[in-house]
Amino acid sequence: MADKINLFDLDREAMTAWFIDNGEKPFRAKQLLKWIYHERVTDFDAMTDLSKPLREKLKNIAELRFPTIIADKTASDGTRKWIFRYDCGNSIEAVFIPEDDRGTLCISSQAGCALACPFCSTGHAGFNRNLTTGEIIVQVWLAKDILNCDRHGNNRVVTNVVLMGMGEPLVNFNNVLPATRLMMDDHAFGLSKRRVTLSTSGIVPAIHALREVTDLSLAVSLHAPNDELRNQIVPVNARYGLAALLDACHQYVRHNGQHGGVTWEYVMLRDVNDSLEHARQLAELLRGIPGKINLIPFNAFPGSRYQCSRRSDILAFQRYLTENGYVATIRKTRGEDIDAACGQLVGQFKDRLIRERKQTRKEVETV
Ligand code: SAH
Ligand code: SF4
């Protein structure tokens, strides 16, 4: 028999089409989504407003596929990190960051990343594969499920989702888009577009395509104010340079009438991109595009060749931007004791990925 369909792979439109293909009424999609995402019921027998024959049919042709949770750690500041394993060689991390007024879940879109930014531990580990829509949305499902079961504290709810974990989401466009639709669909997680943020290193054609199909919030990993430097820190810049990137971002916010504009991410690397001259160039570059700048203290990892900027340089950089009319914040480092800071989800991941790859190779060789 053919593999069962993973219902986590289907957004409302796809699920409606799937029901029609299977000779069922289209409204079944809304019913099923509510069971899965509102009630968090995964047992078809418990879906009481579906007829018995439909429940039997679903058991035969569909399933809800879950990864194995291979780690679940909580840091002293309440940040919580999970490692989810989908299959051999493909583990990813998701991190929940509780704050007074919100709870942000940082999720992954790929196992690894091919774009090889030299300051990023995911980039160092290389690329394994794209995650499916189901593998992306199940991170949100599981985090919500686990956190609601948590007896400590009531504020541990996921109010925001950021695609800032492992991977470049716009390289996995076709799987990421339906997952973000499920995040924003009232029949599923129902988050507002301002609370779902996709972070990209700047895949320009995909930003143009995104503009036409969604209005989620956009974060862009800028990290350098000129092409020469950005070519080194964000290698994909050699393909899509700053002028084209900024134009695509400007069009995105204009088209979507985005309230807050773009979030520009800027990792602070000591003596690399953190001088006042860089701040001046940055202020010049971003003039006229609505947005705010998020300065990210660099998280060192084993084998990284950079250091985090001095605190005084970060503050001076921020001050320059603020004095020149920008909103510039410094990202708080969270979950340090469990390697959970955003962009540094993977901790010992590199070793593990290599181990898992060796294991996969061995398995392939022995087949
Ligand atoms: N690929 C996407 C999303 C994942 S990376 C992107 O590049 O935007 C999420 C954010 O973490 C990016 O801004 C990335 O530049 C940043 N990041 C990666 N490694 C980091 C590190 N070691 N220290 C601080 N930020 C890092
Ligand atoms: Fe990939 Fe983003 Fe890391 Fe660059 S910063 S290697 S694009 S995950």
Side-chain angles (χ1 to χ4, degrees), residues 6 52 67-68 78 109 132 157 167 180 204 275 280 296 301 319 364:
N6 180 9
K52 192 123 198 291
T68 314
S109 58
T132 62
V157 281
T180 60
V204 169
S275 71
R280 193 193 62 73
I296 314 174
F301 55 91
R319 200 176 321 116
V364 171

Side-chain angles (χ1 to χ4, degrees), residues 113-117 119-124 165-168 201 221 223 234:
C113 181
L115 298 186
C117 303
F119 61 87
C120 170
S121 54
T122 308
H124 270 236
M166 295 166 60
E168 169 47 55
S201 56
S221 294
H223 306 323
V234 186

Side-chain angles (χ1 to χ4, degrees), residues 116 229 267 289:
L229 183 56
V267 66
I289 311 178

Side-chain angles (χ1 to χ4, degrees), residues 183-198:
M183 291 170 209
M184 296 190 285
D185 188 339
D186 282 341
H187 293 90
F189 288 128
L191 296 172
S192 84
K193 61 182 182 182
R194 286 166 62 187
R195 293 179 178 275
V196 175
T197 303
L198 181 150

Side-chain angles (χ1 to χ4, degrees), residues 24 86 88 94 100 116 151 186 189-190 217 231 243 258-259 279 319 324:
E24 300 291 339
Y86 296 108
C88 189
D100 292 343
R151 280 172 289 127
D186 282 341
F189 288 128
S217 302
N231 285 345
Q258 284 219 19
H259 192 73
R319 200 176 321 116
N324 281 275

